[in-house]
Every structure is written in C-alpha cells, then in structure tokens.
Amino acid sequence: MPQLHDVDYTLEYPYTRTTGPVIGPFLTGLRDGRILGQRCGDRVLCPPMEFDPDTFATLEPDLVEVGPGGVVVNWTWVAEPSAKHPFDRPFGFAFIKLDGADTDLVHAVDTGGDPEAMNTGMRVRAQFRDERHGSVADVYFVPEGDAADQVIQPGEEPVTITEHLIGLRINEPLYPHRARFAQGLLDGKIIGQRSPVTGKVYVPGRGYDNMSRVLMSEADEVEVSDVGTVVAFTELNPVQYYGQTETEPYVRCSILFDGTDQPVIGIDIRDMTVDEMRVGMRMRCIWRDPDERSVEDIDNRYGNIPETVYARFEPTGEPDIPADELKEHSW
Amino acid sequence: MAPRPCAVLGIGQTKYKRRRDDVTLDGLVREATLRALEDAGATFDDIDAIVIGKAPDALEGVMMPLLSLADALGAIGKPIHRVHTAGSVGASTAISAVNLVESGMYDTVLTIAYEKQSEGNATWALSGGKSGGQGAGGTFAPWIRNYIARSQAPEHIGWMVAVKDRLNALKNEYAHLHLPDISVEKVRESPMLWDPLHFLESCPSSDGAAAMVLGNDDIAKKSGRPPAWVISHAKRTEFGQFPGRDTVRPQAGVECSEALYRKAGITNPREQIDCAELYVPFSWYEPMWLEGHLIAEEGEGWKMTDAGDTELGGSFPVNMSGGVLSSNPIGASGMIRCLEAANQVRGTAGEYQVPGAKISIGHAYGGAAQYYAMWMVSSELNPEL
C-alpha cells in the first residue's frame, strides 16, 4: 500500500457570542475589574444567570458586586496545562464561593505551580490581568496572602459580543482506499471501485457499495477513463468566510467518466466560463506533469480530483450526450 | 394499540433577524419556549419531556448544545432528546415529539428548534471548514436547471415565488425580511448568485427559535386552547448520491408524501388540503415540491404558481407566513413550517390566515435533498375529507 500523507488539519472558526442582558454586564464588569452577581430572590448568583435555576423563571437584570475575596469549596489540580489553559504552569480549578454570593464560580487558582498550597476552605482573591477583553479569562485567583492591590482602569463601551476561535485538530491516516485513489491521481490514473454485486463502478470508491451494502476492497478496484461527460455544473461566487481563499467566480462541475456509474463531483474549471459549459459536453483531463502533481488536499471526507493533479479539463470536440440519458447522474 | 391522539396546544416564535444581538443563545430559546408555554396556558411544571433540534453543531460551534441548554429549557429531572437531520431537523424534531405523545409515554411534550446563524457561518460549516465551499445554492442550482429543462417552465416562475413569499411576510411580524417594495423587476435585477438563482430568490441567514407544546387528547381537553390535531406524519431518507437518483424529484420525497396522505386517507391532496407550508429556501423549490410531493402532476407545479393558485388568496396557498425565503434560522425553519400549518388550522394565523383552513401540511427537507419530514394538522381529530 502506498504511504501517503496523514490527514492533518484544524477545523476552526472565530465564532461570536452575543452576551445578552445579564452575561454582558458580567463580562463588562470583569473588564473593568469588578465581579458581578445576579440577584435571585434573596440569593445572589455568581456566575450570574438569566433565569432562576430552581423555577426557571426569567430574572430581570439586577447585578450586584461580589468578591473580590472568596472561599475554595472544592478543587482539582491541572498538572499538565494545555495551550488553551489560563496558565503555562500547573494550577488548580476550584469552586469558589465569592464573598456576597450564594453559588460557586468555577475558576482558576494560581499557587505558583504548588499543589500543596491548594486546600478546601482556603481564602482566595481575584487578580485582574493587565490585558482584559471582556472575557471570563480577564480574571484569575490567588491565595489571599499572595494577592496584590490593583488599580483597574475601566473600559468604555459595554461588552455585547465576544469572539472565540474554536477549533478541532483532525490528525489521522488516510483510509487505505483513499490512499490508493490519491496515489492513482499522482500516477495520472483515476481509480474506481466496481461493486461485486451490481458491477456498477463508483469514483472515488467509498470502500463499500452503499446500494448493495457490501465492502469493496483493492480487488474490486479498476482504472477508469480520464474522458467523461459533464452531468452538472454551477458557477460559484465565493462567499467570503474565514479561511476562504477563493475571490473570483469560477465554474464547478460533475463529470461522469466513461465506464463509471457515479459522477465525480466538485471538479473546478478555471479556464472556461459558465456560458461555455453544457450538460452532456464531453471533456478530457489534461494532467499536470508527474512531478507537479500533489494530493495534499485529499482527506478522508473531502477532495475528489483536486486541481493540484490536473492542468485543466478540455472539451474533446465529440458530439454531446443527450441530457435525457444523463438524468440519473445529474448531481 | 392505536396511537394516542396528539395536538399542538401552544406555539411560540421569536422575532427572526440577521443577528439577535440582544439575547444569548439561552435567551433566544427561552423567548420561543416561554411564548409557547403561555400560549398553551402551561408552565415548565406541566412538561414531561423535551425534544430539541438544530442544524449541525458547527454552525454555532457549540458542541452538544442540548446539554448546556437543558437548564434554560427547564429540563432538570426530565428527559431531553436531541434530533439531527440537517435542514429538515425542525420538522423531524416536531414529529419525534409527536411520537412521544402518541406512544402514551408522555402526556405533554415541549419541542423546540433554533439556529443562531450569526454566531458562525453556514457556508463555512457546510464546506467542512475548507476554502472553495459550494454552499446550498451551488448544490441545488443544477437540479433546478434540470427541473426547468424538464418541465419547460418559464423563467419568471422563480421571480414570482420570490415576490409572493416576501409579500406574505409583510403580514407576519416575526418574519426576518420585510421588503415592502419587492417586485419581479427587483428580483430579476438582483445579482445572479447561482444561475438561475438571483440574490432575491434565496433565503436569508437568520437568528431565531420556534417552540411548540404538544399534548394528548386529555391535555387538549383540559387546556381549552384551540388544538391543531396532528392527524398524520411521515419521515423518509435516501442517499445523497447513487446511480439512478432523481435529484429533481427524489424518491424519498415522493414516498414521504405518499405515506403522509395514506395515513390521513387523503386521495387528492390538491383538493383535500387547504394550504401548505413547504420548505422553499430557493424560489424554484415551490413548483418542485408541489410536484415532488404529489400536490401537482409532474410538469404542472409551475402552472399553479403562474396562475396565482399558491398566493394567499389562491386556491392552494403556499407559505402564507412568508416561508424560508423570508426567515431562515436553519434548524428552526422546518419547525416553523409545522407550527405555521398549525396556526392555520387553529385559526391563529392573524393577517395571513387562510379563511376556514381545516387541513394543512408542514414540510421540510435537508442535506442534499435527502431527508424529508412532513406533518398534517387539522382543526378536527377526524376531519371530513
């Protein structure tokens, strides 16, 4: 089996959160060096909530300052902090009942990396970071005796929206059938899988025939023609989202390669306009030179025949296939 | 054992908007939920179970949001279920809640669906976070062109739907888009996004939530609220790609409507159903679903649109509320179709009420037009057809 690249990419997006009438003032308070709780009957909730946690009745915003001191009610130790943690040295996560609050705030306690300094019942005190953004990470806690007095300059506009780069790293080997398909492209070949039940040829193969519910293996693989018929196309005006690198409109099409039963979707066409495209048009793949081909963009979920393996697709000049005959392949 | 009869007893919607910057996600779902409870004359204490749905988690980047929203929905000590069928999820969620009542397992069920699209980017999410995403419109456009080629429909049909739904939306205070000066000319001259779809033939991106309180026949009697009886429902699925797939008229959609009509004894949907809320995110899907769901003969759906039959005053009104073309909080959009169908038969649709509507359907589809969920509601438990 060919040894190709592992899939390694990070799916991430800078999501936003609207903070609403209770969390907004809470985050604004943190930026301005104050911790606020929400009144709920004769109790004060910190962190504040928009509704009564017992009755679920909506609470009118009524915020009151709590802390900055409090008591550790319970805690756990983070011995090996990750990049997303608030400290680069070991620290505690603790339930902290702030002075004046009736509920516990879960937050980070910095003891200089010493777990022996953490105790249930210990007094802690809030410390605000020099750079504050209206985030729960604007504050952290230290043992009361280690706390420094701080003068905090309040910000200007209230916090109404926050941004969070949330991501998931995907790191896995290519599935064997994907690796063989990708290797085929590097060799200038389109590899499909022929169903042992129906004889239908799928490109790229999924490793199984979803219609007959049987596995397909290397033994079922066939090289198919690199000449085919356009069965669908669309012009894309790229939506400018995070990570989008496309800026200009272009054509994307599905091609049913000769001898196959399922079109390859998502083939990008850069040198023809949408007006030059027709369903039924015969096209051939003009490959890049072997040393210029790359399949890095193929992972286990996305990527069929990427532009990094072909120079272009060009019309063969043969007569079109009537659209009626392509009806069952029109995606 | 026959299923327990199930009725919609309360309906709640938020105002739909590009960005609901005045509320958190908790606040958004509570806004719809509290309105549904109030409409049903119920409180959280009356709810036995909760069924929640939304589109893929990547849209807001909140993983398994049912867990963090459980408190806000009063689910403590109660079962909460999450449903996930892409764009059809709102209707699938409502039907899953109906199942819980019909089974006799629970008397009163709260069902809710939402999307806060402004917190992320749907096209990014649908592209697996990669550059070069095709989006929903880019996927559907070639199928729409095939429909046009097959049916020989004139190009103005799409423009007409775009205008009709936006005019209906002017009567709906919750609708996102209020475009009083919409016209066929404006639609035609708006930028071409994915040939043949112009900008104004496409749905907006909305924040919003929708909720319903469902109860069995005993609860319906006690509540004294006008019931919308759920007299039939159906869900069907097919693969997104397979040789022989008809993307213009997907088999799962045909079979879903056949099952829906069969259960209710409907033999002539065009005559026996008074109005419909169909999932039409792009204008051409109105005629495509009229045909694909057997309301019109193949090739005849666009003629209903052309003749004005699907207008609010027409013989078969479609998307009286303004539809997905006027409000699209994706995960909620299917539930909105279901609850607007219920509004019609309860007589609570206000300015966009179809006079005397007795039987209505709500519909949604999702994925690559591969998931279908439909329900039929009536003002009567056993309506005369």
Side-chain angles (χ1 to χ4, degrees):
Chain A
M1 186 194 308
Q3 286 299 309
L4 286 178
H5 62 280
D6 277 359
V7 175
D8 190 359
Y9 75 97
T10 300
L11 178 66
E12 67 175 9
Y13 190 84
Y15 291 99
T16 56
R17 302 285 177 246
T18 46
T19 56
V22 173
I23 308 302
F26 173 67
L27 295 177
T28 305
L30 292 181
R31 184 200 59 195
D32 296 345
R34 304 188 308 148
I35 305 175
L36 301 178
Q38 162 74 31
R39 283 192 202 278
C40 174
D42 54 7
R43 296 189 300 163
V44 173
L45 311 176
C46 185
M49 293 177 70
E50 298 176 350
F51 53 89
D52 183 325
D54 297 324
T55 66
F56 312 113
T58 301
L59 297 172
E60 288 306 314
D62 184 4
L63 290 128
V64 53
E65 190 165 352
V66 297
V71 178
V72 169
V73 178
N74 213 330
W75 59 280
T76 191
W77 190 251
V78 180
E80 293 176 22
S82 75
K84 292 264 182 179
H85 276 130
F87 303 107
D88 57 8
R89 55 179 176 270
F91 68 98
F93 267 130
F95 283 89
I96 300 166
K97 185 168 283 182
L98 290 166
D99 299 339
D102 296 282
T103 56
D104 304 330
L105 174 75
V106 176
H107 219 293
V109 179
D110 179 21
T111 61
D114 180 11
E116 300 300 321
M118 285 297 296
N119 290 295
T120 297
M122 73 189 281
R123 294 280 306 169
V124 292
R125 188 181 160 100
Q127 298 283 281
F128 292 89
R129 295 188 187 271
D130 293 338
E131 277 195 34
R132 297 175 310 284
H133 309 281
S135 154
V136 75
D138 287 352
V139 68
Y140 62 97
F141 292 82
V142 297
E144 198 161 52
D146 298 345
D149 287 333
Q150 294 176 298
V151 178
I152 305 294
Q153 198 62 38
E156 285 180 6
E157 295 301 315
V159 175
T160 56
I161 187 164
T162 59
E163 187 175 299
H164 309 264
L165 187 62
I166 298 173
L168 175 71
R169 183 179 169 210
I170 295 161
N171 184 208
E172 61 185 8
L174 275 179
Y175 299 150
H177 65 277
R178 291 289 281 174
R180 292 192 300 269
F181 175 73
Q183 182 62 49
L185 296 177
L186 290 176
D187 298 339
K189 298 174 186 171
I190 300 172
I191 305 291
Q193 290 187 316
R194 184 189 303 278
S195 167
V197 177
T198 63
K200 288 191 189 293
V201 175
Y202 296 85
V203 188
R206 289 190 176 92
Y208 59 92
D209 170 5
N210 60 351
M211 299 303 285
S212 304
R213 300 173 179 81
V214 290
L215 291 176
M216 295 196 288
S217 68
E218 193 168 3
D220 300 304
E221 283 170 7
V222 289
E223 182 185 343
V224 305
S225 173
D226 59 4
V227 177
T229 305
V230 173
V231 293
F233 61 88
T234 195
E235 186 179 38
L236 298 184
N237 288 287
V239 174
Q240 292 308 305
Y241 53 73
Y242 178 81
Q244 172 73 281
T245 56
E246 302 289 349
T247 54
E248 299 302 318
Y250 61 102
V251 175
R252 176 167 289 176
C253 72
S254 302
I255 295 181
L256 183 69
F257 289 98
D258 292 354
T260 72
D261 296 281
Q262 177 160 291
V264 174
I265 62 174
I267 295 177
D268 291 340
I269 305 290
R270 305 285 176 168
D271 51 4
M272 292 171 68
T273 66
V274 70
D275 301 329
E276 298 172 276
M277 300 292 294
R278 300 181 305 276
V279 168
M281 176 189 267
R282 301 279 293 154
M283 298 271 266
R284 89 158 56 84
C285 177
I286 306 298
W287 299 87
R288 289 176 187 248
D289 289 339
D291 57 352
E292 288 176 4
R293 294 177 201 149
S294 136
V295 289
E296 288 297 311
D297 290 342
I298 289 187
D299 64 30
N300 286 326
R301 293 163 191 80
Y302 295 92
N304 290 326
I305 300 183
E307 282 180 287
T308 50
V309 301
Y310 62 87
R312 65 189 179 281
F313 275 79
E314 67 177 25
T316 65
E318 298 164 83
D320 284 7
I321 305 289
D324 278 359
E325 293 175 25
L326 302 168
K327 185 174 154 182
E328 68 172 63
H329 301 291
S330 64
W331 12 277
Chain B
M1 204 170 68
R4 244 355 248 271
C6 175
V8 179
L9 300 174
I11 290 173
Q13 302 189 68
T14 65
K15 169 68 186 168
Y16 306 115
K17 221 177 147 183
R18 170 75 189 89
R19 185 194 288 281
R20 281 296 306 266
D21 55 8
D22 55 329
V23 287
T24 58
L25 193 51
D26 282 23
L28 187 75
V29 297
R30 283 175 57 82
E31 188 175 310
T33 298
L34 293 171
R35 283 177 182 162
L37 287 169
E38 187 187 357
D39 186 35
T43 69
F44 280 117
D45 288 343
D46 297 311
I47 301 299
D48 300 318
I50 293 121
V51 186
I52 184 169
K54 71 170 292 325
D57 291 352
L59 265 72
E60 290 97 350
V62 180
M63 298 301 118
M64 292 188 286
L66 67 165
L67 303 181
S68 54
L69 290 172
D71 294 13
L73 293 171
I76 307 306
K78 296 174 184 179
I80 184 166
H81 306 261
R82 192 256 176 105
V83 177
H84 193 344
T85 59
S88 67
V89 69
S92 305
T93 303
I95 292 171
S96 296
V98 173
N99 285 334
L100 293 183
V101 174
E102 288 186 335
S103 71
M105 181 68 99
Y106 303 109
D107 295 338
T108 309
V109 175
L110 169 69
T111 186
I112 176 147
Y114 71 89
E115 208 67 64
K116 205 161 184 315
Q117 279 217 56
S118 69
E119 306 220 330
N121 181 294
T123 303
W124 173 89
L126 296 177
S127 310
K130 301 202 167 190
S131 180
Q134 183 160 316
T139 300
F140 293 136
W143 308 350
I144 290 171
R145 287 202 306 272
N146 284 352
Y147 168 76
I148 294 170
R150 245 193 247 182
S151 68
Q152 298 293 308
E155 61 180 349
H156 67 258
I157 298 299
W159 311 336
M160 284 181 73
V161 175
V163 171
K164 185 253 309 174
D165 284 5
R166 271 51 174 271
L167 290 177
N168 287 352
L170 294 174
K171 300 174 187 295
N172 177 0
E173 60 173 325
Y174 295 121
H176 172 173
L177 295 184
H178 282 152
L179 307 173
D181 54 353
I182 188 86
S183 67
V184 162
E185 292 69 35
K186 283 219 159 90
V187 174
R188 191 180 58 209
E189 276 149 34
S190 65
M192 182 68 85
L193 294 188
W194 308 274
D195 184 35
L197 294 169
H198 293 82
F199 175 73
L200 283 172
E201 290 178 272
S202 306
C203 55
S205 166
S206 314
D207 286 359
M212 284 183 281
V213 175
L214 306 177
N216 65 23
D217 44 349
D218 287 342
I219 302 293
K221 211 170 292 169
K222 271 184 235 156
S223 87
R225 297 302 206 261
W229 296 101
V230 184
I231 58 172
S232 180
H233 52 82
K235 294 190 259 195
R236 288 293 185 277
T237 303
E238 71 182 35
F239 291 124
Q241 289 182 15
F242 60 90
R245 180 164 199 232
D246 187 347
T247 48
V248 172
R249 184 186 174 84
Q251 188 64 20
V254 172
E255 290 179 9
C256 188
S257 32
E258 283 173 347
L260 181 81
Y261 303 148
R262 191 165 54 238
K263 193 147 78 177
I266 295 280
T267 52
N268 184 346
R270 171 84 164 80
E271 296 302 323
Q272 293 168 310
I273 295 167
D274 297 308
C275 53
E277 286 276 342
L278 304 178
Y279 201 101
V280 178
F282 302 99
S283 59
W284 281 94
Y285 267 101
E286 175 173 298
M288 286 169 75
W289 292 140
L290 287 171
E291 296 176 30
H293 294 308
L294 313 178
I295 294 159
E297 296 289 328
E298 216 169 337
E300 302 289 317
W302 65 267
K303 295 177 187 167
M304 286 179 64
T305 303
D306 204 24
D309 293 343
T310 59
E311 289 172 10
L312 195 43
S315 59
F316 192 93
V318 174
N319 291 329
M320 301 68 71
S321 68
V324 182
L325 280 173
S326 303
S327 311
N328 186 34
I330 301 177
S333 291
M335 187 168 286
I336 299 168
R337 307 283 69 72
C338 288
L339 67 77
E340 289 293 5
N343 265 332
Q344 291 293 337
V345 300
R346 295 175 91 207
T348 52
E351 284 187 58
Y352 52 97
Q353 178 72 47
V354 173
K358 197 170 72 172
I359 297 178
S360 181
I361 56 176
H363 154 267
Y365 78 101
Q370 68 203 96
Y371 308 113
Y372 294 86
M374 301 176 78
W375 87 359
M376 187 180 300
V377 283
S378 174
S379 49
E380 294 163 39
L381 183 52
N382 296 297
E384 229 171 272
L385 296 173

